[in-house]
Amino acid sequence: MGYGPAQIPLKTRREIEIMREVGRHVAEILLEVRKRVRPGIATAELNRIAEEEIKRRGVQSSFKGYGPHGLPKYPAVICISVNEEIVHGIPGPRVLKEGDIVGFDFGVHQNGMHGDSAVTVGVGEICEEASRLLTTTRDALYLAIEKARVGNRLSDIGHVVQSKAEGSGYSVVRDFVGHGIGHKLHEPPQIPNYGDPGKGPRLRAGMALAIEPMVNAGVAGVEVLKDGWTAVTEDRKLSAHFEHTILITDEGPEILTKVEGSH
Ligand code: MF3
Ligand code: CO
């Protein structure tokens, strides 16, 4: 990928303060959405709840209308990806049922700064295999966050995600990556969830990163559905996604999208 550290923006104190506030909104809205998860609810209804929270708080969606790549613009404020859907599922009439796993990926901006976070949860009771996939993916995220320290290198993050996922018998998605975040939802660097350690730019205080492992129960391969967005596993086995926006500080990683009760 070849970023010099100079291309990764360092946040000012003012920008950091705004990102803390934005991150709190993201975390709280995700919790509001999660509270409503139950068998029988349609994913469009969960999008409506997120949209209401956005309005109530006076923040802006980072996702709705997104689409610089010539594809249809993303039509909702939250991505909802069920079971074999990896990321970018579009909310609609699909009704959640007991035993499903459902991923929520959500971002807002305010005063010019973005926050982005994702979590995958079970609907009612889920089977042990699904539960192990969720735990492993969340663990991979936290191992990755631990690597987001001054002096480490960028690829240390992806390496630990890949080790955790593959060491648990799973595979990591290679078609989507984490990213820097700040004035834009996607800033340099790209953050793959795989690779050798000790490569890429050194991490510095003031970098804000959206770290987002996507872990598949089966093969790593991805297929995008005809809606132009929904990414599903090639073998239609389960996939899980967890994400936090973090800030690298001299004291270690600070998770900006976490409040009491968050993933
Ligand atoms: N969290 C995802 C990302 O970081 C979601 C963005 S896709 C969008 O890329 F279209 F919904 F915005
Ligand atoms: Co993201």
Side-chain angles (χ1 to χ4, degrees):
M1 244 136 284
Y3 298 102
Q7 287 158 275
I8 304 174
L10 302 181
K11 272 62 192 180
T12 65
R13 283 166 64 164
R14 167 84 185 129
E15 288 170 334
I16 288 167
E17 262 161 43
I18 296 170
M19 288 190 77
R20 286 195 178 112
E21 201 174 309
V22 169
R24 193 159 53 238
H25 284 297
V26 169
E28 288 174 357
I29 296 172
L30 268 177
L31 284 179
E32 287 301 320
V33 170
R34 282 178 61 176
K35 270 204 295 205
R36 307 291 289 267
V37 170
R38 56 174 171 75
I41 195 164
T43 57
E45 174 68 5
L46 294 168
N47 180 69
R48 202 186 54 74
I49 289 157
E51 208 152 15
E52 257 172 30
E53 283 294 323
I54 283 176
K55 258 189 226 135
R56 194 171 73 75
R57 293 159 186 262
V59 296
Q60 269 77 47
S61 174
S62 301
F63 292 5
K64 196 169 184 171
Y66 181 89
H69 45 317
L71 283 167
K73 302 244 181 260
Y74 191 75
V77 300
I78 188 167
C79 301
I80 305 184
S81 307
V82 183
N83 294 338
E84 75 285 355
E85 296 172 355
I86 303 166
V87 285
H88 303 165
I90 299 174
R94 182 170 186 167
V95 166
L96 299 180
K97 58 180 200 313
E98 179 101 14
D100 284 344
I101 61 169
V102 56
F104 299 107
D105 187 352
F106 183 68
V108 299
H109 61 99
Q110 183 184 33
N111 299 319
M113 307 302 289
H114 291 257
D116 186 10
S117 181
V119 61
T120 306
V121 301
V123 181
E125 284 287 304
I126 60 173
C127 67
E128 199 146 311
E129 186 45 35
S131 169
R132 191 174 74 93
L133 178 67
L134 300 191
T135 306
T136 302
T137 310
R138 183 180 176 282
D139 287 351
L141 170 61
Y142 275 84
L143 288 169
I145 290 171
E146 265 312 303
K147 293 291 179 189
R149 289 183 178 273
V150 173
N152 282 354
R153 287 189 186 269
L154 183 65
S155 79
D156 296 341
I157 292 173
H159 178 73
V160 79
V161 171
Q162 181 177 23
S163 302
K164 178 68 187 177
E166 292 181 356
S168 308
Y170 299 137
S171 58
V172 289
V173 172
R174 288 150 188 271
D175 298 63
F176 303 101
V177 294
H179 49 95
I181 180 167
H183 285 286
K184 290 184 291 178
L185 176 63
H186 297 136
E187 293 183 355
Q190 292 189 20
I191 310 175
N193 290 302
Y194 59 90
D196 295 327
K199 304 239 193 311
R202 278 197 197 281
L203 301 178
R204 295 173 59 186
M207 290 179 177
L209 306 176
I211 301 176
E212 47 181 320
M214 288 146 270
V215 177
N216 291 354
V219 299
V222 167
E223 199 179 304
V224 176
L225 300 185
K226 284 208 241 0
D227 62 18
W229 280 102
T230 311
V232 300
T233 54
E234 254 171 29
D235 58 10
R236 301 302 192 267
K237 291 187 180 170
L238 296 179
S239 182
H241 179 209
F242 283 77
E243 175 178 20
H244 273 306
T245 295
I246 65 105
L247 175 75
I248 300 179
T249 78
D250 287 316
E251 286 74 48
E254 177 182 338
I255 304 177
L256 301 178
T257 44
K258 191 177 175 80
V259 295
E260 174 88 39
S262 293
H263 59 289

